[in-house]
Amino acid sequence: EHRAEPLERGRHGEFLAPGAAPPERGAIARFHRGGDRTSAAILGLAGGAAGGTSRYDVLKFTALCRGEVAMGVSAHNLGQSELALGAESLRQIASETDIPFLSTNVRTVDGQAVAAERIELRIGTHRIGILGVIAPQYATQEFKITDPREAILQQTAGMRKNCDMILVLAYLPEEQLEALAATVPDVDLLIGGPTRQSIAPRKSGRTTWAAATAKGKFLVRLDSRVDSTLTQRWSGELVEMGESLPDHAPQQANLRRFYDELAALDLPADATGFAPRLPANLPVSFRIAGSDQCRKCHPKDCLAWEASSHARAWQTLVEKESTVDPYCQQCHTTGYGLPGGFVSLSKGRDRVDVGCESCHGPATSHVEQPQSHTPYDARDRCLHCHDLENSPRFKLTDYWEQIEHGQPSESP
């Protein structure tokens, strides 16, 4: 059991459940301000905050957990991405950060618990019980997952004697989440993810349920009050973690610590999960040649490139002090993780900026035999970096005007 003694003001309280996907840089700082209320609050996560299993992903998830602890997260349910890290890694992260991992229906195949089955909090005179479940479809070779409803009912049978309110964090698809809400009458609040869209609070019987998703950019805020009949009532809303919420200094310090760790490690591309997966036995000519090779036959096109933002892509990372982050490096360098391309800060300074081969593909074969085409259709490459996350207003026709080129080769 994990116990805490938050402050309380009157009979008001709230439960804040951030989304189930990995937060973008800065979102976790906004969570802190989003949960910074004058009344008592409980902050929990439904799961799915890890980004992958690479060394970079483990470092980033550990930093996220440190940030969660700093903002007073009461429970972090284990979702699919957390289970993918494995029991040993989860135990190590919990030991390093004191993050209150929670999982009511997950055990290792040999029956060992990897997190607390339930968490109990005391807020003033109120006793809160928290459970966390995940859908059985996310079972792995290392973990077995029991039926969420049965796991909840087994716990709530005894918890009602000790708890005034029970909430469940549930990593379930939308249809399973809605079905569960209708069949667990002892549960007051059910907060879920991953759902296709965030779901505003609604009721099924006596259970209030909702879901937050979209990479941690939304949370579910639920406020309680006790009416004149001494009955607890819940109301709530979805809250966007937008630019109006200022970043919090301790979270910014945590981010700088993460960047310091990245700078010290100088992770190569193949340790980040961002390098493309390549087939075996690639021809030796599938290799980044460098934009200087292109200039020999396509000088006018290279002049157009030099006038574009692509030629200064690395400088934007310098200005934002994020050159050490592989998540940023992958779209601000040429040939990230490809043969001859950007490898790491110490081994790829000549491959910074978005060069010709970022869009056209490794060109060594084309340099050696101009009649052979470069491997990529450049138009298909735009959305690899100009996605909804990084370029929400991207339109190929509009952006193309800024980089228009493509004259015939001027070689003999």
Side-chain angles (χ1 to χ4, degrees):
E1 294 180 358
H2 177 83
R3 297 186 180 276
E5 300 287 342
L7 298 174
E8 182 189 36
R9 186 182 71 173
R11 285 178 165 175
H12 297 276
E14 55 196 2
F15 175 68
L16 305 170
E24 64 173 1
R25 182 169 69 88
I28 199 165
R30 292 172 190 147
F31 278 154
H32 193 291
R33 283 302 187 189
D36 189 6
R37 312 295 186 186
T38 55
S39 58
I42 301 170
L43 182 61
L45 283 87
T53 60
S54 71
R55 191 177 183 189
Y56 170 83
D57 293 315
V58 173
L59 284 169
K60 186 172 184 177
F61 182 56
T62 301
L64 289 172
C65 290
R66 286 199 305 263
E68 291 173 20
V69 171
M71 64 179 161
V73 163
S74 298
H76 181 132
N77 183 46
L78 300 182
Q80 182 184 19
S81 64
E82 285 90 349
L83 294 186
L85 294 173
E88 182 178 353
S89 182
L90 289 171
R91 291 184 180 116
Q92 180 65 31
I93 293 169
S95 175
E96 291 178 8
T97 66
D98 290 327
I99 185 72
F101 283 142
L102 171 68
S103 189
T104 306
N105 68 329
V106 172
R107 286 185 174 268
T108 61
V109 291
D110 60 356
Q112 299 298 310
V114 70
E117 287 187 329
R118 70 176 184 268
I119 290 173
E120 294 185 6
L121 307 173
R122 182 177 294 277
I123 301 180
T125 61
H126 301 286
R127 298 163 299 177
I128 315 298
I130 311 176
L131 303 174
V133 295
I134 182 174
Q137 67 205 57
Y138 300 117
T140 68
Q141 291 183 341
E142 186 177 6
F143 295 109
K144 58 183 179 181
I145 301 175
T146 59
D147 179 74
R149 178 177 178 272
E150 291 302 318
I152 292 170
L153 293 178
Q154 288 177 12
Q155 292 289 333
T156 57
M159 290 175 69
R160 265 303 170 193
K161 300 176 182 178
N162 302 316
C163 298
D164 305 306
M165 190 267 283
I166 296 174
L167 65 90
V168 175
L169 301 170
Y171 190 86
L172 302 175
E174 181 176 343
E175 60 278 3
Q176 296 182 38
L177 184 69
E178 184 173 10
L180 180 63
T183 59
V184 284
D186 278 338
V187 172
D188 298 279
L189 302 175
L190 176 65
I191 309 297
T195 52
R196 290 180 291 273
Q197 299 289 334
S198 294
I199 301 172
R202 59 189 67 176
K203 292 203 66 142
S204 291
R206 66 179 302 275
T207 301
T208 299
W209 65 282
T213 183
K215 295 190 175 182
K217 296 176 183 177
F218 290 85
L219 59 77
V220 176
R221 176 182 175 181
L222 290 165
D223 296 277
S224 70
R225 66 180 180 84
V226 177
D227 64 18
S228 58
T229 66
L230 300 183
T231 301
Q232 188 176 49
R233 306 289 185 183
W234 289 95
S235 61
E237 61 181 340
L238 292 173
V239 180
E240 183 176 5
M241 301 289 96
E243 295 293 337
S244 62
L245 298 172
D247 288 337
H248 193 250
Q251 298 297 342
Q252 293 295 82
N254 183 42
L255 175 62
R256 287 192 295 272
R257 174 179 171 180
F258 173 56
Y259 275 7
D260 288 344
E261 292 170 346
L262 291 178
L265 291 170
D266 191 27
L267 292 174
D270 60 7
T272 67
F274 301 131
R277 294 183 179 181
L278 301 175
N281 302 318
L282 278 171
V284 294
S285 59
F286 187 85
R287 186 175 183 84
I288 297 294
S291 296
D292 286 343
Q293 294 292 328
C294 306
R295 196 183 309 276
K296 297 176 182 179
C297 296
H298 304 278
K300 289 184 178 180
D301 293 334
C302 287
L303 286 174
W305 170 77
E306 288 174 356
S308 74
S309 297
H310 283 166
R312 299 180 296 278
W314 186 257
Q315 183 59 30
T316 63
L317 299 189
V318 173
E319 293 168 358
K320 295 180 178 180
E321 300 181 347
S322 55
T323 58
V324 299
D325 194 340
Y327 176 80
C328 304
Q329 292 171 357
Q330 62 177 321
C331 284
H332 290 254
T333 59
T334 300
Y336 185 87
L338 292 174
F342 184 91
V343 176
S344 68
L345 280 175
S346 62
K347 299 178 181 179
R349 288 288 184 175
D350 60 337
R351 293 291 186 257
V352 299
D353 296 321
V354 177
C356 306
E357 291 159 292
S358 295
C359 304
H360 297 279
T364 294
S365 177
H366 178 66
V367 170
E368 295 173 349
Q369 298 179 323
Q371 69 273 20
S372 67
H373 293 289
T374 50
Y376 299 165
D377 184 333
R379 292 167 296 184
D380 293 340
R381 304 299 297 176
C382 301
L383 293 179
H384 283 257
C385 292
H386 292 284
D387 55 15
L388 289 175
E389 179 70 31
N390 296 294
S391 295
R393 293 180 293 275
F394 177 79
K395 287 186 178 180
L396 178 59
T397 53
D398 295 340
Y399 275 52
W400 173 249
E401 294 178 357
Q402 303 176 41
I403 62 168
E404 187 172 359
H405 61 283
Q407 301 301 317
S409 170
E410 297 168 28
S411 60

